[in-house]
């Protein structure tokens, strides 16, 4: 069974330890929410999982399908079935959403079979239409240049379409702590909910409880000072909304 297992992860940036012994296990089909106050290391975790060169792993391991993910290049992680959404997607002028997706799909196919000649265009078109219909997206979107002049909501749509088209097994989505309006939240959550039938495992990283009004997580984890200090079911997010993070600070200190 494929599951993403993070064990005793420690990571630094500029020699400062940010992730301090984090454990987390995500199985296919499970939706996990990672919450926590600002500056606690949530985005750092996403960057480390992504293989960002500025972050150094000093201890622990991340295993998926029997492979040590930390030894892999970012594209190899993607080919293994891990999808990492970029928090600040870059614009690629001259490359349409459709071309970008076809290139990404072909790279993934090539990685699993060197003989692969790429997805035939009619099949790609059919697949893309179907995915766009499922996400209630206008077909004209596929012909636009990726992220160029996209609104926040359109960037999120592009991200979710990428997720749907690449069919990863695990998706890690770091939602910005600001700037995600209700429409964008809906796009992300509808997208994720519609992919649940595909057995996708999801880690949604968020500062706000409100996204969880739309995405129903199976597990909620609270991160403080670089590690998970509390895990529970959806109720934990509600408790957090009511009581804030203060009741956990003491716990976090005694764990340190
Ligand atoms: P979160 O996403 O939970 O708000 P981050 O992972 O963005 O937290 O940041 C965790 C900590 O790492 C913060 O204290 C932040 O100041 C620090 N940090 C982030 N990037 C850098 C950097 N480039 N250099 C030094 N410290 C950084
Ligand atoms: Mg963050």
């Amino acid at each position: 069974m494929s599951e993403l297992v993070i064990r005793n992860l420690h990571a630094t940036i500029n020699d400062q330890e940010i992730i301090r012994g984090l454990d987390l296990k995500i199985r296919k089909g499970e939706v996990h929410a990672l919450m926590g106050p600002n500056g606690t290391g949530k985005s750092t975790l996403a960057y480390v999982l992504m293989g960002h060169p500025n972050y150094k792993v000093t201890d622990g391991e991340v295993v998926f399908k029997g492979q040590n993910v930390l030894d892999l290049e970012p594209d190899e992680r993607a080919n293994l079935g891990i999808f990492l959404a970029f928090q600040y997607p870059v614009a690629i002028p001259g490359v349409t959403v459709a071309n970008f997706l076809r290139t990404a799909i072909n790279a993934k196919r090539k990685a699993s079979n060197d003989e692969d000649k790429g997805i035939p265009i009619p099949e790609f078109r059919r697949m893309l239409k179907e995915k766009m219909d499922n996400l209630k997206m206008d077909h004209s979107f596929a012909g636009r240049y990726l992220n160029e002049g996209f609104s926040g909501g359109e960037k999120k749509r592009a991200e979710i379409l990428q997720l749907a088209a690449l069919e990863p097994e695990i998706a890690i989505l770091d939602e910005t702590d600001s700037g995600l309006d209700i429409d964008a939240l809906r796009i992300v959550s509808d997208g994720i909910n519609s992919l649940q039938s595909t057995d996708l495992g999801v880690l949604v990283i968020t500062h706000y409880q409100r996204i969880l009004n739309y995405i129903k997580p199976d597990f909620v984890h609270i991160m403080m000072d670089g590690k998970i200090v509390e895990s529970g079911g959806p109720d934990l997010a509600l408790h957090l909304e009511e009581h804030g993070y203060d009741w956990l600070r003491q716990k976090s200190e005694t764990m340190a």
Side-chain angles (χ1 to χ4, degrees):
M1 180 173 185
S2 22
E3 50 181 27
L4 182 76
V5 182
I6 304 172
R7 260 187 230 112
N8 188 35
L9 188 68
H10 290 255
T12 60
I13 180 156
N14 297 337
D15 292 328
Q16 194 185 335
E17 187 169 60
I18 307 292
I19 307 288
R20 307 168 187 214
L22 187 135
D23 296 282
L24 186 62
K25 196 181 281 189
I26 303 168
R27 294 182 190 84
K28 282 177 81 170
E30 292 177 351
V31 178
H32 293 250
L34 181 68
M35 306 183 69
N38 272 323
T40 218
K42 302 184 299 297
S43 293
T44 301
L45 175 66
Y47 283 121
V48 167
L49 294 174
M50 206 181 278
H52 193 292
N54 288 359
Y55 299 84
K56 202 165 112 196
V57 174
T58 51
D59 203 1
E61 57 178 5
V62 179
V63 180
F64 186 58
K65 293 187 192 165
Q67 293 215 48
N68 189 348
V69 172
L70 299 172
D71 289 341
L72 304 176
E73 295 299 322
D75 62 320
E76 295 172 318
R77 300 179 192 204
N79 292 334
L80 196 61
I82 303 173
F83 177 93
L84 297 147
F86 291 100
Q87 202 165 359
Y88 304 103
V90 289
I92 312 184
V95 176
T96 62
V97 170
N99 276 334
F100 175 79
L101 289 174
R102 196 155 61 87
T103 305
I105 289 168
N106 285 344
K108 193 174 177 188
R109 287 168 63 123
K110 184 97 180 153
S112 64
N113 172 14
D114 198 42
E115 306 284 290
D116 190 86
K117 296 280 181 285
I119 183 169
I121 303 236
E123 186 189 329
F124 173 73
R125 290 220 177 100
R126 218 169 23 246
M127 182 278 296
L128 190 58
K129 274 195 185 122
E130 188 194 310
K131 305 280 184 197
M132 293 181 92
D133 288 341
N134 288 344
L135 297 171
K136 299 188 182 66
M137 290 171 63
D138 194 283
H139 292 176
S140 67
F141 192 74
R144 290 184 56 188
Y145 292 149
L146 185 66
N147 289 327
E148 201 176 54
F150 279 18
S151 68
E154 286 169 338
K155 284 181 184 165
K156 282 292 152 196
R157 277 208 168 80
E159 180 182 294
I160 295 298
L161 182 61
Q162 207 180 319
L163 180 57
L166 287 174
E167 299 178 342
E169 291 164 65
I170 301 281
I172 295 156
L173 307 165
D174 187 7
E175 297 313 323
T176 41
D177 291 343
S178 58
L180 212 56
D181 60 21
I182 289 296
D183 281 349
L185 276 180
R186 278 226 174 85
I187 293 160
V188 172
S189 39
D190 287 353
I192 289 173
N193 292 335
S194 78
L195 293 172
Q196 272 323 281
S197 54
T198 64
D199 232 15
L200 176 71
V202 184
L203 178 64
V204 189
I205 299 174
T206 179
H207 176 66
Y208 288 117
Q209 195 274 336
R210 61 179 184 170
I211 195 171
L212 306 177
N213 294 331
Y214 302 96
I215 302 173
K216 294 287 166 241
D218 302 301
F219 303 93
V220 175
H221 310 278
I222 301 171
M223 184 171 176
M224 277 179 125
D225 300 325
K227 56 186 165 308
I228 288 170
V229 295
E230 189 80 27
S231 294
D235 289 353
L236 185 55
L238 298 175
H239 188 81
L240 207 57
E241 188 173 36
E242 205 175 321
H243 301 281
Y245 288 108
D246 279 346
W247 61 284
L248 282 161
R249 286 193 201 276
Q250 215 174 355
K251 184 162 179 160
S252 154
E253 276 153 25
T254 57
M255 278 173 77

